[in-house]
Structure formats: C-alpha cells, structure tokens
Amino acid sequence: MSEKVFDAFNVCAMLLLCAITLYPFLNVLAIALNEGSDSALGGITIFPRDVTIENFKTVFQNKDLLQAGVITISRTLLGTLLSLLITSLAAYALSKKKLLGRSAILVFMTIPMFIGGTLVSNFIIMHDLHLLNSFFVYIIPGAFSFFNMIIMRTYFYTIPESLEESARIDGASDVTIFFRIMLPLAMPMIAALGLFIGVGHWNDFFTNLLYITNAKLNTLQFILMRIVKSQDMSNFLDELKNYKPGMTNLRQVTPQSIRNATTVVTVFPIIVIYPFLQKYFIKGMMIGAVKE
C-alpha cells in the first residue's frame, strides 16, 4: 500500500509539474493563433477560440524581423561550429599529460572564471578590436569556453590510449587522429555541448544591446525584447503596414497578438531542432556519471 501511495504521489506531482511547465507555452501559442480582438476579451487558455494566421502574416511583413532571422541563424551556426572546433582542439591538447606547460596553461585559463571584466572594460576591448557594429562581435568573444573545454577534456580521458597508439603505428598524425578518431567518438558530447552553445547564441540579445547600433545586424531576440518592452505598439503596427499596405487588418491584429506571434517565431526553431539531438544530448550528459 505504501508503494502504491508513493507511486500515485509521484505521478500526480509529475503531471502537475508538466502542466505548470507546458501551460505558458500553450497559452502563448493559443493567443498567437487567435484573432487579436477576440483575444483582448480574455479567457484564452491553451486553445484558440477564433483561429487565424493573420498575426503571423503581420510578423513576417516586418523586413527587420526577416533580416534579424538571417543574422541570428548565421550567428548560431557559425558561432556554434567555431566554438566546438576551438573547444575540442584545446580539450584534446590539454588532455595530453606530456604537453609542455600544461599545468600553467590550465591555471591561466582558470583565472577568468573567477575574475572577469566589467561592462566598461569589455566595451573598450571590443572597441579596440574593431568589433563594434560588426557581425563578428557575435562570434569571436564567445568562441572559447573554459568550462566546456573541461567537460570535453574529461570525455577525451575516457577514450583508450591504445586507439591513438594503434593509429600512430599506422602513421597517423595528430591532426588525423583528432579528426578521424577523436571527433567521431566524441559526437555525443559534441552534440550536447553544441545544443547548449547554440541555444546560448540563439537566445542572446545582450551582445546586440551593448555593441550593435546598426539595425541591419540586429538579432531576433533583440527585436523580440524591443517589441515586448515597447510602450506604444500601435506605432509598431503602423510600421508593419507601411511594408505591404492593405494586407494587415488592424481589427484582427493587436499588440498582444503580435507579441505572442513573435515569441513563437523566435522560439520555434530551437523546439524543432531539440528532438533530433535529444538522444545525443542524453548520452552526452550521462558520460562520466557511470564508469565501468
């Protein structure tokens, strides 16, 4: 009886947690798919009353949003690939105990984890590196993460050294061993870290806020933040109408519906990608938790 009560309590607790977690997403989606003036009446929970795609049509009429989508996708892909490459190269090198000055390098890299620069000092650095109002300000500063490198290095420790020794006997160089042996074996960890890095790039708007004033380099999250915090959404709707006059029906579109539709557009790509990486993500997170 005690086990049945315990199981019932766990099931109820998990169902409640799922409901609490899913409700905000479903509510945003319902309002985004509902006619704007009808949503203003309230009462929308997880199902739209008057289904329409007018909100999404209005969002995609914004040329700034489309341009921001290109910048965000490019930033996420290039930033993730570059970060994974640099992090894995550093992790592979620092996993070798014979590396000269290995301890000193690790100590030197550990210091910035506890002592970081201020916003002013970081801004000065970006200015001196000519990264202000540059697309590369999204890519270069975050190309290396010491924390991710430590995780990757720990994984490389689990790969038997006999594989490298066999490859060296066959005449393989360090570059060949890294790209032909280490990276394929490290795919679960790379997928897990790639998901973290990619989500970080996709959700970041602070870099845009600090270092970018050129509207052509704005990201989706920055535009979403600007829309959500806008005090006068009617001006935003008027700007949207100017792109394709007559296509936007203000009786069906409201500031609230635009906010929710924009939120769905910016979050949807990550939600779609995650299921394809889930098996690698789970396996990568399990690495190191259990050792044979």
Side-chain angles (χ1 to χ4, degrees), residues 147-259:
F147 180 78
N148 291 340
M149 189 275 295
I150 292 296
I151 297 176
M152 185 68 71
R153 188 188 67 154
T154 303
Y155 177 80
F156 284 139
Y157 281 147
T158 65
I159 299 178
E161 295 182 3
S162 58
L163 290 176
E164 288 191 59
E165 295 174 357
S166 299
R168 292 186 189 280
I169 292 175
D170 293 335
S173 63
D174 288 327
V175 176
T176 302
I177 293 173
F178 176 74
F179 285 102
R180 300 289 296 274
I181 298 177
M182 293 298 175
L183 279 188
L185 292 175
M187 283 307 298
M189 179 56 67
I190 290 176
L193 291 180
L195 182 61
F196 284 130
I197 297 170
V199 171
H201 276 287
W202 186 272
N203 290 335
D204 176 47
F205 70 89
F206 202 59
T207 302
N208 193 166
L209 182 64
L210 290 179
Y211 308 123
I212 299 295
T213 57
N214 185 356
K216 294 182 179 181
L217 294 176
N218 287 338
T219 61
L220 280 174
Q221 300 301 333
F222 178 79
I223 290 182
L224 174 61
M225 181 271 295
R226 190 177 63 185
I227 292 175
V228 171
K229 291 188 175 182
S230 176
Q231 299 298 321
D232 188 3
M233 286 296 297
S234 60
N235 291 337
F236 177 73
L237 295 176
D238 291 339
E239 292 176 3
L240 292 178
K241 285 192 64 178
N242 291 333
Y243 290 116
K244 295 182 179 180
M247 292 188 64
T248 300
N249 189 345
L250 291 180
R251 291 177 298 176
Q252 297 181 2
V253 175
T254 63
Q256 183 189 23
S257 63
I258 289 295
R259 291 190 183 100

Side-chain angles (χ1 to χ4, degrees), residues 7-22:
D7 291 340
F9 175 79
N10 283 339
V11 170
C12 293
M14 290 300 101
L15 290 176
L16 179 61
L17 181 61
C18 290
I20 294 174
T21 304
L22 290 176

Side-chain angles (χ1 to χ4, degrees), residues 17-221:
L17 181 61
C18 290
I20 294 174
T21 304
L22 290 176
Y23 175 76
F25 294 98
L26 296 177
N27 180 253
V28 169
L29 181 61
I31 296 176
L33 290 172
N34 199 72
E35 193 267 330
S37 59
D38 181 73
S39 298
L41 301 176
I44 300 296
T45 54
I46 61 175
F47 297 105
R49 280 194 303 259
D50 187 0
V51 180
T52 180
I53 60 172
E54 189 67 28
N55 299 321
F56 291 98
K57 286 183 179 180
T58 304
V59 168
F60 285 111
Q61 287 177 36
N62 187 353
K63 294 181 179 180
D64 291 339
L65 191 69
L66 299 178
Q67 175 69 23
V70 174
I71 294 296
T72 303
I73 294 174
S74 302
R75 170 200 178 165
T76 302
L77 293 177
L78 294 177
T80 301
L81 292 176
L82 181 63
S83 181
L84 288 175
L85 177 62
I86 294 177
T87 301
S88 57
L89 285 171
Y92 177 64
L94 292 172
S95 67
K96 305 304 175 184
K97 296 181 180 179
K98 63 181 180 180
L99 178 66
L100 184 64
R102 174 171 170 269
S103 299
I105 294 174
L106 289 173
V107 172
F108 180 77
M109 290 182 173
T110 304
I111 294 175
M113 292 186 66
F114 303 97
I115 304 175
T118 63
L119 292 178
V120 175
S121 61
N122 290 335
F123 186 88
I124 294 174
I125 291 174
M126 299 303 167
H127 177 270
D128 293 342
L129 293 175
H130 303 287
L131 291 177
L132 297 182
N133 280 325
S134 171
F135 174 76
F136 294 102
V137 75
Y138 296 130
I139 308 297
I140 296 177
F144 177 77
S145 170
F146 180 73
F147 180 78
N148 291 340
M149 189 275 295
I150 292 296
I151 297 176
M152 185 68 71
R153 188 188 67 154
T154 303
Y155 177 80
F156 284 139
Y157 281 147
T158 65
I159 299 178
E161 295 182 3
S162 58
L163 290 176
E164 288 191 59
E165 295 174 357
S166 299
R168 292 186 189 280
I169 292 175
D170 293 335
S173 63
D174 288 327
V175 176
T176 302
I177 293 173
F178 176 74
F179 285 102
R180 300 289 296 274
I181 298 177
M182 293 298 175
L183 279 188
L185 292 175
M187 283 307 298
M189 179 56 67
I190 290 176
L193 291 180
L195 182 61
F196 284 130
I197 297 170
V199 171
H201 276 287
W202 186 272
N203 290 335
D204 176 47
F205 70 89
F206 202 59
T207 302
N208 193 166
L209 182 64
L210 290 179
Y211 308 123
I212 299 295
T213 57
N214 185 356
K216 294 182 179 181
L217 294 176
N218 287 338
T219 61
L220 280 174
Q221 300 301 333

